[in-house]
Structures are given as structure tokens and as C-alpha cells.
Amino acid sequence: QSALTQPASVSGSPGQSITISCTGTSSDVGGYNYVSWYQQHPGKAPKLMIYDVSKRPSGVSNRFSGSKSGNTASLTISGLQAEDEADYYCSSYTSSSTVFGTGTKVTVL
Amino acid sequence: EVQLVESGGGLVQPGRSLRLSCAASGFTFDDYAMHWVRQAPGKGLEWVSGISWNSGSTGYADSVKGRFTISRDNAKNSLYLQMNSLRAEDTALYYCAKDTGYNWNYGNAFDIWGQGTMVTVSS
């Protein structure tokens, strides 16, 4: 199972909105509404930010939102803050495994 | 406090074995599927294996199939990963992660993560 494709880096100024894409195939992202997004700060464990494409776990800021169109899922961070600077990974359910994205480094300018 | 604590990592020679453990607390362990996810130094996340709430079903990444075995002991609130025939490419930080559901191969969102245990395979 090949990794999902994400841009290596995305940047934005404080207060702006940014969107991270996650491209897969009809066997993963496009085939199921089970896309998750994780935030990982350096030296820390990943944190679940979005699951089931667009649902937010309790305690996650509503500045984070998810969506999907065809084989591509997206994570949007609105009102960008310094604390949002981190690596972000998407993941998708498949019929026999979980596949993660290649990861995106978000930089707050 | 909801917590996962991994242990058992270390330096091991190629071809040898290692067993990782994950101790869970703060939630009803036997209500949820559990997974192992690894991250090689400076690299991205890679799903390794998952197990359903009652050990009735397990799954493995192609890269570890036939070499790694996942198991759990619900009476001890513990998850395990037996790793045999280790290779240099298995070098990574291994995370234990809790699923939001009870089947490992449905949905697959991981809402609780441990801090990881490092496995280094080198001669």
C-alpha cells in the first residue's frame, strides 16, 4: 500500500488560512469516509485532529476542519497561530490496513 | 488520566527478536481495538499492525507480515508486539495507539498515543 501524497510544506502568516491536501486512490481516500488527520510537534506523539473526514475530537479547536472530494482529502487551518507550526499527517482506512500520508510541515511565518 | 506507556525497545542485532509492550490506563481497554505505528528517524508515520478488542482479528503491514505478531491481554490492560527476524529497516520509534472503535479494520482513527519506544536494529 503506497503512502498518500501530501505537499512537503505549507506556510502562512498568523491569522491566515491554509489548506493541506492528501491524495490517494479509490482504494483508500476515495473509497471510504474514513480519513483522519494528525498533528505532530517535534519530539512529541501525534495528536488526532480530525477523523471520519470532518469530525473533530473533543478539545480540538474549531479552527481545524476537514473535507474530501473524490480521491483527495483536505485539512484547513483557519486563523493560523504560532502553536499550529508542526507536521501534519493524513491517514485513510483501506480494506486491509491503514495508510498514512507523506506528511506536511506547516510553518507560521 | 488516559495513558499508554510503551516499553521493551533497545538495540538489537539483525535477525534477532524483540518484544514490545504497551500498558494502558484510564480507559476500558477491552472496549477498543489497538494498533502499533512506527516512525523511522526523520521520516513519516507507518502503520504496523492492529488487533480487535477481543483478539479475534489482527492485521499487518506487508513490510512486517510473517515476522511480527500482535497480541493483547485484556486482563492486564496490555498490548504486545513480538518482532522476529529484525532488519535494519525496522529501526524506528514504535508507538502504541488506541482506536476509536472496537475493530482494527474499520474506520481506523487513533485518538490516544503513547510516547513511543525506540528500536534500533544494527550490528
Side-chain angles (χ1 to χ4, degrees), chain A residues 23-48:
Chain A
T23 302
T25 69
S26 58
S27 296
D28 38 64
V29 175
Y32 311 93
N33 287 323
Y34 295 128
V35 176
S36 301
W37 289 91
Y38 300 88
Q39 175 192 66
Q40 186 179 34
H41 286 109
K44 300 295 187 181
K47 175 186 177 183
L48 179 66

PDB file of all heavy atoms in Angstrom, chain A residues 23-48:
ATOM      1  N   THR A  23      -3.737  13.182  -1.191  1.00  0.00           N
ATOM      2  CA  THR A  23      -4.252  12.497  -2.379  1.00  0.00           C
ATOM      3  C   THR A  23      -3.959  11.004  -2.334  1.00  0.00           C
ATOM      4  O   THR A  23      -2.817  10.596  -2.135  1.00  0.00           O
ATOM      5  CB  THR A  23      -3.648  13.110  -3.645  1.00  0.00           C
ATOM      6  OG1 THR A  23      -3.966  14.506  -3.689  1.00  0.00           O
ATOM      7  CG2 THR A  23      -4.221  12.424  -4.887  1.00  0.00           C
ATOM      8  N   GLY A  24      -5.009  10.237  -2.544  1.00  0.00           N
ATOM      9  CA  GLY A  24      -4.880   8.789  -2.575  1.00  0.00           C
ATOM     10  C   GLY A  24      -5.523   8.220  -3.817  1.00  0.00           C
ATOM     11  O   GLY A  24      -5.413   8.805  -4.897  1.00  0.00           O
ATOM     12  N   THR A  25      -6.184   7.090  -3.622  1.00  0.00           N
ATOM     13  CA  THR A  25      -6.841   6.405  -4.740  1.00  0.00           C
ATOM     14  C   THR A  25      -8.257   6.005  -4.331  1.00  0.00           C
ATOM     15  O   THR A  25      -8.678   6.242  -3.201  1.00  0.00           O
ATOM     16  CB  THR A  25      -6.051   5.137  -5.121  1.00  0.00           C
ATOM     17  OG1 THR A  25      -6.175   4.187  -4.062  1.00  0.00           O
ATOM     18  CG2 THR A  25      -4.570   5.435  -5.356  1.00  0.00           C
ATOM     19  N   SER A  26      -8.939   5.356  -5.237  1.00  0.00           N
ATOM     20  CA  SER A  26     -10.282   4.877  -4.946  1.00  0.00           C
ATOM     21  C   SER A  26     -10.270   3.708  -3.970  1.00  0.00           C
ATOM     22  O   SER A  26     -11.317   3.320  -3.449  1.00  0.00           O
ATOM     23  CB  SER A  26     -10.986   4.450  -6.240  1.00  0.00           C
ATOM     24  OG  SER A  26     -10.241   3.445  -6.894  1.00  0.00           O
ATOM     25  N   SER A  27      -9.080   3.166  -3.705  1.00  0.00           N
ATOM     26  CA  SER A  27      -8.952   2.054  -2.758  1.00  0.00           C
ATOM     27  C   SER A  27      -8.750   2.540  -1.324  1.00  0.00           C
ATOM     28  O   SER A  27      -8.787   1.727  -0.394  1.00  0.00           O
ATOM     29  CB  SER A  27      -7.771   1.143  -3.141  1.00  0.00           C
ATOM     30  OG  SER A  27      -8.002   0.529  -4.386  1.00  0.00           O
ATOM     31  N   ASP A  28      -8.511   3.804  -1.169  1.00  0.00           N
ATOM     32  CA  ASP A  28      -8.335   4.333   0.187  1.00  0.00           C
ATOM     33  C   ASP A  28      -9.172   5.609   0.363  1.00  0.00           C
ATOM     34  O   ASP A  28     -10.342   5.525   0.682  1.00  0.00           O
ATOM     35  CB  ASP A  28      -6.857   4.556   0.538  1.00  0.00           C
ATOM     36  CG  ASP A  28      -6.017   5.088  -0.625  1.00  0.00           C
ATOM     37  OD1 ASP A  28      -6.295   6.212  -1.063  1.00  0.00           O
ATOM     38  OD2 ASP A  28      -5.105   4.395  -1.085  1.00  0.00           O
ATOM     39  N   VAL A  29      -8.583   6.771   0.144  1.00  0.00           N
ATOM     40  CA  VAL A  29      -9.297   8.032   0.388  1.00  0.00           C
ATOM     41  C   VAL A  29     -10.632   8.099  -0.338  1.00  0.00           C
ATOM     42  O   VAL A  29     -11.656   8.465   0.250  1.00  0.00           O
ATOM     43  CB  VAL A  29      -8.418   9.235  -0.018  1.00  0.00           C
ATOM     44  CG1 VAL A  29      -9.203  10.540   0.110  1.00  0.00           C
ATOM     45  CG2 VAL A  29      -7.153   9.307   0.834  1.00  0.00           C
ATOM     46  N   GLY A  30     -10.631   7.748  -1.606  1.00  0.00           N
ATOM     47  CA  GLY A  30     -11.842   7.865  -2.409  1.00  0.00           C
ATOM     48  C   GLY A  30     -12.887   6.810  -2.133  1.00  0.00           C
ATOM     49  O   GLY A  30     -14.061   6.980  -2.489  1.00  0.00           O
ATOM     50  N   GLY A  31     -12.483   5.728  -1.481  1.00  0.00           N
ATOM     51  CA  GLY A  31     -13.398   4.613  -1.300  1.00  0.00           C
ATOM     52  C   GLY A  31     -14.152   4.598   0.011  1.00  0.00           C
ATOM     53  O   GLY A  31     -15.142   3.867   0.152  1.00  0.00           O
ATOM     54  N   TYR A  32     -13.692   5.373   0.977  1.00  0.00           N
ATOM     55  CA  TYR A  32     -14.298   5.343   2.312  1.00  0.00           C
ATOM     56  C   TYR A  32     -14.292   6.744   2.925  1.00  0.00           C
ATOM     57  O   TYR A  32     -13.412   7.544   2.635  1.00  0.00           O
ATOM     58  CB  TYR A  32     -13.500   4.417   3.244  1.00  0.00           C
ATOM     59  CG  TYR A  32     -13.202   3.052   2.660  1.00  0.00           C
ATOM     60  CD1 TYR A  32     -12.009   2.819   1.990  1.00  0.00           C
ATOM     61  CD2 TYR A  32     -14.119   2.010   2.773  1.00  0.00           C
ATOM     62  CE1 TYR A  32     -11.717   1.578   1.455  1.00  0.00           C
ATOM     63  CE2 TYR A  32     -13.839   0.764   2.244  1.00  0.00           C
ATOM     64  CZ  TYR A  32     -12.636   0.551   1.585  1.00  0.00           C
ATOM     65  OH  TYR A  32     -12.360  -0.679   1.061  1.00  0.00           O
ATOM     66  N   ASN A  33     -15.230   6.993   3.802  1.00  0.00           N
ATOM     67  CA  ASN A  33     -15.247   8.266   4.532  1.00  0.00           C
ATOM     68  C   ASN A  33     -14.536   8.106   5.866  1.00  0.00           C
ATOM     69  O   ASN A  33     -15.061   8.447   6.923  1.00  0.00           O
ATOM     70  CB  ASN A  33     -16.681   8.742   4.729  1.00  0.00           C
ATOM     71  CG  ASN A  33     -17.290   9.250   3.439  1.00  0.00           C
ATOM     72  OD1 ASN A  33     -16.612   9.879   2.626  1.00  0.00           O
ATOM     73  ND2 ASN A  33     -18.565   8.971   3.236  1.00  0.00           N
ATOM     74  N   TYR A  34     -13.323   7.566   5.793  1.00  0.00           N
ATOM     75  CA  TYR A  34     -12.534   7.307   6.991  1.00  0.00           C
ATOM     76  C   TYR A  34     -11.143   7.906   6.844  1.00  0.00           C
ATOM     77  O   TYR A  34     -10.141   7.196   6.903  1.00  0.00           O
ATOM     78  CB  TYR A  34     -12.459   5.810   7.262  1.00  0.00           C
ATOM     79  CG  TYR A  34     -13.789   5.188   7.599  1.00  0.00           C
ATOM     80  CD1 TYR A  34     -14.241   4.063   6.927  1.00  0.00           C
ATOM     81  CD2 TYR A  34     -14.600   5.740   8.588  1.00  0.00           C
ATOM     82  CE1 TYR A  34     -15.459   3.494   7.238  1.00  0.00           C
ATOM     83  CE2 TYR A  34     -15.831   5.179   8.897  1.00  0.00           C
ATOM     84  CZ  TYR A  34     -16.252   4.058   8.227  1.00  0.00           C
ATOM     85  OH  TYR A  34     -17.463   3.507   8.522  1.00  0.00           O
ATOM     86  N   VAL A  35     -11.087   9.197   6.676  1.00  0.00           N
ATOM     87  CA  VAL A  35      -9.826   9.922   6.625  1.00  0.00           C
ATOM     88  C   VAL A  35      -9.616  10.635   7.956  1.00  0.00           C
ATOM     89  O   VAL A  35     -10.543  11.254   8.499  1.00  0.00           O
ATOM     90  CB  VAL A  35      -9.802  10.955   5.483  1.00  0.00           C
ATOM     91  CG1 VAL A  35      -8.510  11.771   5.524  1.00  0.00           C
ATOM     92  CG2 VAL A  35      -9.956  10.262   4.126  1.00  0.00           C
ATOM     93  N   SER A  36      -8.417  10.508   8.474  1.00  0.00           N
ATOM     94  CA  SER A  36      -8.044  11.176   9.726  1.00  0.00           C
ATOM     95  C   SER A  36      -6.854  12.095   9.481  1.00  0.00           C
ATOM     96  O   SER A  36      -6.104  11.914   8.521  1.00  0.00           O
ATOM     97  CB  SER A  36      -7.666  10.156  10.808  1.00  0.00           C
ATOM     98  OG  SER A  36      -8.726   9.271  11.076  1.00  0.00           O
ATOM     99  N   TRP A  37      -6.702  13.068  10.371  1.00  0.00           N
ATOM    100  CA  TRP A  37      -5.568  13.990  10.325  1.00  0.00           C
ATOM    101  C   TRP A  37      -4.919  14.056  11.700  1.00  0.00           C
ATOM    102  O   TRP A  37      -5.609  14.116  12.720  1.00  0.00           O
ATOM    103  CB  TRP A  37      -6.020  15.380   9.912  1.00  0.00           C
ATOM    104  CG  TRP A  37      -6.421  15.489   8.479  1.00  0.00           C
ATOM    105  CD1 TRP A  37      -7.673  15.312   7.956  1.00  0.00           C
ATOM    106  CD2 TRP A  37      -5.567  15.806   7.368  1.00  0.00           C
ATOM    107  NE1 TRP A  37      -7.642  15.487   6.588  1.00  0.00           N
ATOM    108  CE2 TRP A  37      -6.371  15.800   6.213  1.00  0.00           C
ATOM    109  CE3 TRP A  37      -4.207  16.108   7.233  1.00  0.00           C
ATOM    110  CZ2 TRP A  37      -5.863  16.084   4.935  1.00  0.00           C
ATOM    111  CZ3 TRP A  37      -3.695  16.391   5.980  1.00  0.00           C
ATOM    112  CH2 TRP A  37      -4.519  16.376   4.843  1.00  0.00           C
ATOM    113  N   TYR A  38      -3.571  14.072  11.702  1.00  0.00           N
ATOM    114  CA  TYR A  38      -2.804  14.100  12.939  1.00  0.00           C
ATOM    115  C   TYR A  38      -1.826  15.266  12.913  1.00  0.00           C
ATOM    116  O   TYR A  38      -1.234  15.567  11.872  1.00  0.00           O
ATOM    117  CB  TYR A  38      -2.042  12.787  13.139  1.00  0.00           C
ATOM    118  CG  TYR A  38      -2.949  11.589  13.211  1.00  0.00           C
ATOM    119  CD1 TYR A  38      -3.331  10.909  12.055  1.00  0.00           C
ATOM    120  CD2 TYR A  38      -3.462  11.148  14.424  1.00  0.00           C
ATOM    121  CE1 TYR A  38      -4.190   9.830  12.103  1.00  0.00           C
ATOM    122  CE2 TYR A  38      -4.328  10.056  14.489  1.00  0.00           C
ATOM    123  CZ  TYR A  38      -4.681   9.407  13.328  1.00  0.00           C
ATOM    124  OH  TYR A  38      -5.546   8.346  13.383  1.00  0.00           O
ATOM    125  N   GLN A  39      -1.654  15.872  14.064  1.00  0.00           N
ATOM    126  CA  GLN A  39      -0.675  16.936  14.261  1.00  0.00           C
ATOM    127  C   GLN A  39       0.466  16.372  15.103  1.00  0.00           C
ATOM    128  O   GLN A  39       0.221  15.705  16.108  1.00  0.00           O
ATOM    129  CB  GLN A  39      -1.325  18.110  15.003  1.00  0.00           C
ATOM    130  CG  GLN A  39      -0.394  19.245  15.372  1.00  0.00           C
ATOM    131  CD  GLN A  39      -1.068  20.217  16.345  1.00  0.00           C
ATOM    132  OE1 GLN A  39      -1.373  19.861  17.478  1.00  0.00           O
ATOM    133  NE2 GLN A  39      -1.320  21.432  15.882  1.00  0.00           N
ATOM    134  N   GLN A  40       1.706  16.644  14.704  1.00  0.00           N
ATOM    135  CA  GLN A  40       2.846  16.162  15.477  1.00  0.00           C
ATOM    136  C   GLN A  40       3.871  17.270  15.657  1.00  0.00           C
ATOM    137  O   GLN A  40       4.471  17.729  14.679  1.00  0.00           O
ATOM    138  CB  GLN A  40       3.497  14.946  14.810  1.00  0.00           C
ATOM    139  CG  GLN A  40       4.593  14.319  15.662  1.00  0.00           C
ATOM    140  CD  GLN A  40       5.222  13.095  15.023  1.00  0.00           C
ATOM    141  OE1 GLN A  40       5.366  13.011  13.807  1.00  0.00           O
ATOM    142  NE2 GLN A  40       5.606  12.123  15.853  1.00  0.00           N
ATOM    143  N   HIS A  41       4.051  17.686  16.886  1.00  0.00           N
ATOM    144  CA  HIS A  41       5.108  18.644  17.198  1.00  0.00           C
ATOM    145  C   HIS A  41       6.419  17.891  17.377  1.00  0.00           C
ATOM    146  O   HIS A  41       6.414  16.697  17.727  1.00  0.00           O
ATOM    147  CB  HIS A  41       4.761  19.436  18.464  1.00  0.00           C
ATOM    148  CG  HIS A  41       3.687  20.452  18.240  1.00  0.00           C
ATOM    149  ND1 HIS A  41       2.408  20.327  18.753  1.00  0.00           N
ATOM    150  CD2 HIS A  41       3.695  21.624  17.554  1.00  0.00           C
ATOM    151  CE1 HIS A  41       1.677  21.367  18.398  1.00  0.00           C
ATOM    152  NE2 HIS A  41       2.431  22.175  17.671  1.00  0.00           N
ATOM    153  N   PRO A  42       7.558  18.546  17.164  1.00  0.00           N
ATOM    154  CA  PRO A  42       8.861  17.870  17.265  1.00  0.00           C
ATOM    155  C   PRO A  42       9.046  17.163  18.597  1.00  0.00           C
ATOM    156  O   PRO A  42       8.816  17.743  19.668  1.00  0.00           O
ATOM    157  CB  PRO A  42       9.850  19.026  17.108  1.00  0.00           C
ATOM    158  CG  PRO A  42       9.123  20.042  16.307  1.00  0.00           C
ATOM    159  CD  PRO A  42       7.695  19.950  16.756  1.00  0.00           C
ATOM    160  N   GLY A  43       9.437  15.905  18.525  1.00  0.00           N
ATOM    161  CA  GLY A  43       9.696  15.118  19.720  1.00  0.00           C
ATOM    162  C   GLY A  43       8.463  14.667  20.478  1.00  0.00           C
ATOM    163  O   GLY A  43       8.587  14.099  21.568  1.00  0.00           O
ATOM    164  N   LYS A  44       7.289  14.900  19.893  1.00  0.00           N
ATOM    165  CA  LYS A  44       6.046  14.531  20.559  1.00  0.00           C
ATOM    166  C   LYS A  44       5.294  13.465  19.778  1.00  0.00           C
ATOM    167  O   LYS A  44       5.543  13.240  18.595  1.00  0.00           O
ATOM    168  CB  LYS A  44       5.142  15.767  20.713  1.00  0.00           C
ATOM    169  CG  LYS A  44       5.766  16.883  21.526  1.00  0.00           C
ATOM    170  CD  LYS A  44       5.983  16.474  22.972  1.00  0.00           C
ATOM    171  CE  LYS A  44       6.457  17.641  23.810  1.00  0.00           C
ATOM    172  NZ  LYS A  44       6.699  17.238  25.223  1.00  0.00           N
ATOM    173  N   ALA A  45       4.354  12.817  20.459  1.00  0.00           N
ATOM    174  CA  ALA A  45       3.495  11.843  19.795  1.00  0.00           C
ATOM    175  C   ALA A  45       2.454  12.561  18.937  1.00  0.00           C
ATOM    176  O   ALA A  45       2.090  13.713  19.218  1.00  0.00           O
ATOM    177  CB  ALA A  45       2.799  10.975  20.832  1.00  0.00           C
ATOM    178  N   PRO A  46       1.973  11.911  17.889  1.00  0.00           N
ATOM    179  CA  PRO A  46       0.905  12.504  17.071  1.00  0.00           C
ATOM    180  C   PRO A  46      -0.354  12.725  17.899  1.00  0.00           C
ATOM    181  O   PRO A  46      -0.606  12.027  18.882  1.00  0.00           O
ATOM    182  CB  PRO A  46       0.671  11.447  15.985  1.00  0.00           C
ATOM    183  CG  PRO A  46       1.942  10.673  15.921  1.00  0.00           C
ATOM    184  CD  PRO A  46       2.439  10.623  17.337  1.00  0.00           C
ATOM    185  N   LYS A  47      -1.153  13.708  17.460  1.00  0.00           N
ATOM    186  CA  LYS A  47      -2.418  14.033  18.101  1.00  0.00           C
ATOM    187  C   LYS A  47      -3.513  14.013  17.049  1.00  0.00           C
ATOM    188  O   LYS A  47      -3.373  14.625  15.984  1.00  0.00           O
ATOM    189  CB  LYS A  47      -2.352  15.420  18.750  1.00  0.00           C
ATOM    190  CG  LYS A  47      -3.671  15.888  19.349  1.00  0.00           C
ATOM    191  CD  LYS A  47      -3.567  17.328  19.852  1.00  0.00           C
ATOM    192  CE  LYS A  47      -4.900  17.831  20.375  1.00  0.00           C
ATOM    193  NZ  LYS A  47      -4.831  19.256  20.808  1.00  0.00           N
ATOM    194  N   LEU A  48      -4.605  13.313  17.330  1.00  0.00           N
ATOM    195  CA  LEU A  48      -5.730  13.246  16.398  1.00  0.00           C
ATOM    196  C   LEU A  48      -6.433  14.594  16.341  1.00  0.00           C
ATOM    197  O   LEU A  48      -6.882  15.104  17.369  1.00  0.00           O
ATOM    198  CB  LEU A  48      -6.700  12.149  16.831  1.00  0.00           C
ATOM    199  CG  LEU A  48      -7.948  11.954  15.967  1.00  0.00           C
ATOM    200  CD1 LEU A  48      -7.573  11.451  14.579  1.00  0.00           C
ATOM    201  CD2 LEU A  48      -8.918  10.963  16.639  1.00  0.00           C
TER     202      LEU A  48
END
